[in-house]
Amino acid sequence: MGSLVYLTVMRPDIAHAVHILSQFVSAPISVHFGHLLQVLRYLRGTASQCLFYAHDRSLELYTYSDSTWASDPSNRRSVTSYCIFLGSSHLTWKSKKQAAVTRPSIEAELRALATTTSEIVWLWWWLADFGISCDAPTPLLCDNTGAIQIANDPVKHELTKHISVDASFTRSHCHQKTIALQYVPSELQLADFLKHKLKSNIGYT
C-alpha cells in the first residue's frame, strides 16, 4: 500500500481509490484486497498515461476547490478535494476526509476552501524559495456561491466557531490578495475529478 500511496504523486486519477483503501491498512479483509487488485489492473491498463510539464508556460498558480457533503455512509463525513496548477501543469492535489461532520453542505465547502487556501499560502512560500514571486492573487475556483459569499463578506453569519475560523482565514487571504475567489460551474469543477474518477472504474459506490 505504501508504494500505491507514492504513486498518487504521479497519478492523480487514483487519488480517490487510494484515499478509500488507505483507511483499511491496519485491518484489511479480502474485499479490500479485491479492490486493490482492481486498482493495480487499472494502472497496468493505463501505464502510458502521464503528467506533462511544459517549459514555456507561465509560472502562475490557479486552483480548484470542492467538497462532497456527508458522503461517507459509515460516519457521514464530507471529503475535501483540491487541485492546484502551475501554469498548465498539475502541481499538487489532495482528496481527504474532513475531521468533523458538517450539517449544511456550505460548511463542508468552507472547510475545503480553508484547506485549499492554506496549501496556496504554503506554495507561495515554496515558490519564493526558488526565486519565483506570486505578484497576482491566485484564482481559487469553487462551485458553491454561498461559500464564496461568506468567505468574501465580513458580516457575521450563524456558523459554529470552528467554521467561523475557517471562513475568517479564507477571508483574510482574500483581503491580503493571496487568493481571488471565483465561481466555476459544477461541470467544470476539476477538483470533482479526484472524488469520482475511480468510482466507475473500480466499482466504488
Side-chain angles (χ1 to χ4, degrees):
M1 180 62 73
S3 299
L4 196 59
V5 171
Y6 174 76
L7 270 173
T8 61
V9 175
M10 299 172 287
R11 294 294 300 265
D13 50 341
I14 66 171
H16 178 76
V18 174
H19 159 72
I20 297 297
L21 289 172
S22 64
Q23 298 175 49
F24 305 98
V25 171
S26 60
I29 59 176
S30 58
V31 67
H32 304 131
F33 182 70
H35 286 312
L36 175 61
L37 290 178
Q38 290 184 55
V39 175
L40 294 175
R41 292 190 192 103
Y42 171 80
L43 289 172
R44 183 178 62 183
T46 57
S48 61
Q49 296 184 9
C50 59
L51 294 175
F52 176 73
Y53 291 90
H55 65 83
D56 57 347
R57 297 294 183 179
S58 64
L59 298 178
E60 296 180 355
L61 296 172
Y62 69 97
T63 309
Y64 292 84
S65 174
D66 197 18
S67 174
T68 64
W69 178 62
S71 56
D72 190 322
S74 63
N75 55 26
R76 290 304 175 188
R77 292 185 186 178
S78 304
V79 175
T80 289
S81 62
Y82 64 74
C83 54
I84 302 177
F85 292 81
L86 183 63
S88 61
S89 303
H90 206 172
L91 181 62
T92 183
W93 51 86
K94 191 171 191 176
S95 177
K96 184 177 181 179
K97 190 184 298 182
Q98 295 182 0
V101 178
T102 56
R103 295 179 68 185
S105 61
I106 196 169
E107 292 188 11
E109 293 284 358
L110 284 168
R111 290 182 191 272
L113 283 176
T115 299
T116 308
T117 300
S118 180
E119 182 71 9
I120 292 171
V121 171
W122 185 88
L123 285 172
W124 273 43
W125 294 341
W126 180 73
L127 290 172
D129 287 340
F130 288 94
I132 302 171
S133 60
C134 299
D135 300 321
T138 297
L140 176 49
L141 286 75
C142 173
D143 59 5
N144 189 298
T145 55
I148 292 174
Q149 290 172 358
I150 290 175
N152 276 318
D153 189 353
V155 176
K156 183 178 180 180
H157 293 267
E158 294 182 359
L159 300 171
T160 66
K161 181 178 179 180
H162 181 71
I163 296 300
S164 295
V165 170
D166 284 340
S168 297
F169 175 75
T170 304
R171 187 181 305 124
S172 68
H173 283 284
C174 286
H175 294 165
Q176 295 174 38
K177 306 298 183 183
T178 307
I179 61 173
L181 289 174
Q182 300 176 14
Y183 173 75
V184 61
S186 296
E187 59 270 20
L188 300 178
Q189 174 55 273
L190 297 186
D192 196 48
F193 165 86
L194 296 177
K195 304 195 302 290
H196 303 299
K197 172 64 177 176
L198 266 291
K199 288 184 179 179
S200 58
N201 288 333
I202 65 173
Y204 284 115
T205 57

